[in-house]
Amino acid sequence: MNVADAGETPVIELRGVTRILQETVPVTLVHDIDLIIQRGEFVSVTGPSGSGKSSLLYLLGLLDLPTRGQVLIDGVDTSGYSSDRLADVRLAKLGFVFQFHFLLPEFTVLQNVTLPMIRLGRLDEKAIRERGMALLRDFEIDDQARKRPDQLSGGQRQRVAVARALANDPAVILADEPTGNLDTRNSEIVQGIFADLAAAQGRTVIAVTHDQDFASSAPRNVHLIDGRIDSDVRR
């Protein structure tokens, strides 16, 4: 496992994070969580349905905000950030992969992958296209570049989603049930991709999953029950 030294600044840290959904009867989604994630870690997040797995992932990815507590990215507390600043951090430092891909059907595969780069605005048009094609080649789907998502298999669409997540070279990839809609063979392919992102590329990978094979492939497992960390095991 390619993990940073303990003395280095964690890539993501939660300090006393609680998220309460304010409904007629308030619902606590996660409760008083302390969690440190270092660079290069591959972490699976498991637990029964309703245990707070996705809620935790959304907090780690700044897609949701804590009711109490702090979320630090590269040692910087994001409390009080505006919605625009949070969006900028997500775009530059975090990549997301979801169970249902969320590829835009009106765009080609290549256009889907290049959208985050266009939004970030750091590269010119030629460099964006070249990087997009390079990412597709990495996942052996460059021959699908001009197709639209509905012309691809489920496994191909998920590889496109991973390529898109890597578009802006983020330090952290967050995935919510990335193999949930895939058959065994494609699940194994995606599992291998995530393992390689951490072990070979030194990226941090945090994946919520019900897939026990996928979970066991991660060197670290965080298990939730009722919105609390029940165990945090490094293998």
Side-chain angles (χ1 to χ4, degrees), residues 195-218:
D196 183 71
L197 290 175
Q201 298 187 27
R203 299 183 196 273
T204 300
V205 177
I206 308 167
V208 164
T209 185
H210 281 101
D211 183 336
Q212 288 306 307
D213 288 337
F214 187 96
S216 63
S217 72

Side-chain angles (χ1 to χ4, degrees), residues 65-82:
L65 302 178
T67 305
R68 296 192 298 272
Q70 299 168 291
V71 180
L72 287 76
I73 305 292
D74 289 330
V76 178
D77 184 8
T78 60
S79 302
Y81 275 20
S82 67

